[in-house]
Amino acid sequence: MPFCSVVVPVYKSAESLSVLTQQIFQIGLDEGITFELIFVNDSPFHLETIKSLKEIEYSNNFVKVLTLRKNRGQHIATLVGLDMAQGEYIITMDDDLQHPVDEIPKMLNYIYERKAEGVFALPNYSDRKHSIWRSIASYILKRIDRVFLNKPKGLVLSSFRILTKDLARATVNGYNAMPSVSSLMVNATDNLVNLKVGHHDREFGRTNYTLNKLINLAINSIIYYSSLPLRIIGIMGIAGLAGALFFILTIIFRKFFIGIEFPGYASTVILISFFGGLNLFGIGIIGEYLIRVVKEQQKPPLSSLTK
C-alpha cells in the first residue's frame, strides 16, 4: 500500500484526538498502510488542545503537529496540512470522529481503481448524524455549489476527502485569502468522484460550525469561485440599454404619428431612458471587466496544469 498522509485541522478539541490517533495507528497495522498523521492546531491558545497534541506527538512517531500563530479557520488549516504532507495520497478529515477511519482503505482502493485525482466521501442522507439545522445548511450549500461552481455534474463536495499529492499541490498553489479547499480542488481538475461511506455520532463536544460560519462559507464560494453574479449584472446592463432604446423608439413613434398631449414629455422621457440605459450598460461593462480580473486572480501556476 502507498504512503498516506492524514490531515486533521483541530479547533478546541482534546479527548477525540487520542482516539483518532489510535484508530489510524490500528488501521495502518491491520491494512499494512504507512501513515503520517498531521494535526494542524487552529486554536493555538486553547490549553487542553495544546496539552493533548503535545502528548500525542511525543508518544507517536508518525504524528506531526503544526500550530498556527492565530485562528485562521478550517480551510486555511487544511491547506497548511496539505502543503506539509508527504504522502502519495492525502486524506483530510475532521477531528470529531464523525468521519470513520475504517473507511480510509475503501477510499484508497476507490481512488486507485477509478484513477481519479480526488474522491469526496459522503454518507447516505439517512446515516447522517448532524443536527437538523446543520443538515439544512449543508443542503443549501450544496445547492449553491451546484449553481455557482463549474464542477462535474452530480458531484457533491465534502470535508472527508482523499486526493493525490499532485492535486494537493495544485490546490495549495491556487489558494486565496478566504479559501474553500473543495472549491479549489474543483478549480484544479474535473477528475473528481463521490464515494458513499458511513457516518458516526459526535462523541465529544459540539460542532464549531455555526450558522454564521456556514453563511460566510456560502458567500465566499459565490464571490471567490464564480463569476456568475457579475455575468448576470452584465446581461442585465445590456438588457436594460436595449429596453431603454426600444422605449425611446416607441416614444418617438408616438410623438410623430399619434401625438403626445403634454409638452416636453417626449424629450424628458427620452433623455431619462437614454441615460438610465447607458448607466446600466456601463455597469454591465464594469461587470465584464471584473470577471476578467477575477479570472486573472484565479489563474493557476502553469506547473499545476499538468499531472
Side-chain angles (χ1 to χ4, degrees), residues 49-59 65:
T49 301
I50 295 171
K51 180 182 177 182
S52 180
L53 287 174
K54 281 184 177 179
E55 291 174 353
I56 292 170
E57 186 176 29
Y58 180 78
S59 305
V65 175

Side-chain angles (χ1 to χ4, degrees), residues 99-117:
H99 294 156
V101 171
D102 56 10
E103 297 281 12
I104 289 178
K106 179 180 176 182
M107 295 166 67
L108 277 167
N109 290 330
Y110 195 71
I111 194 172
Y112 180 78
E113 291 171 359
R114 292 292 300 269
K115 293 181 171 54
E117 291 187 79

Side-chain angles (χ1 to χ4, degrees), residues 61 104 279:
N61 59 12
I104 289 178
N279 285 336

Side-chain angles (χ1 to χ4, degrees), residues 150-176:
N150 184 23
K151 62 185 179 68
K153 185 177 180 181
L155 183 72
V156 180
L157 309 183
S158 166
S159 60
F160 191 21
R161 32 174 128 71
I162 181 171
L163 60 161
T164 63
K165 187 175 182 178
D166 284 344
L167 179 56
R169 296 292 169 265
T171 301
V172 170
N173 288 338
Y175 96 98
N176 50 50

Side-chain angles (χ1 to χ4, degrees), residues 149-157 186 189-194:
L149 291 181
N150 184 23
K151 62 185 179 68
K153 185 177 180 181
L155 183 72
V156 180
L157 309 183
V186 169
T189 182
D190 287 333
N191 191 10
L192 302 167
V193 293
N194 282 131

Side-chain angles (χ1 to χ4, degrees), residues 211-284:
L211 181 60
N212 183 55
K213 288 182 179 180
L214 289 170
I215 292 172
N216 285 335
L217 180 61
I219 293 173
N220 290 337
S221 294
I222 294 172
I223 294 175
Y224 275 92
Y225 301 101
S226 174
S227 59
L228 182 58
L230 290 174
R231 183 70 69 187
I232 292 172
I233 291 174
I235 293 172
M236 289 176 61
I238 294 172
L241 179 61
L245 292 175
F246 177 77
F247 184 66
I248 288 170
L249 290 176
T250 60
I251 294 298
I252 293 174
F253 178 82
R254 288 178 58 191
K255 172 71 175 178
F256 289 101
F257 297 99
I258 299 176
I260 296 177
E261 298 179 0
F262 303 102
Y265 172 81
S267 58
T268 301
V269 169
I270 287 173
L271 287 173
I272 292 174
S273 300
F274 176 75
F275 286 108
L278 200 61
N279 285 336
L280 290 173
F281 181 70
I283 292 172

Side-chain angles (χ1 to χ4, degrees), residues 69-82:
R69 289 189 172 91
K70 60 183 293 186
N71 173 242
R72 296 286 186 177
Q74 180 187 22
H75 293 274
I76 287 287
T78 302
L79 286 170
V80 170
L82 291 177

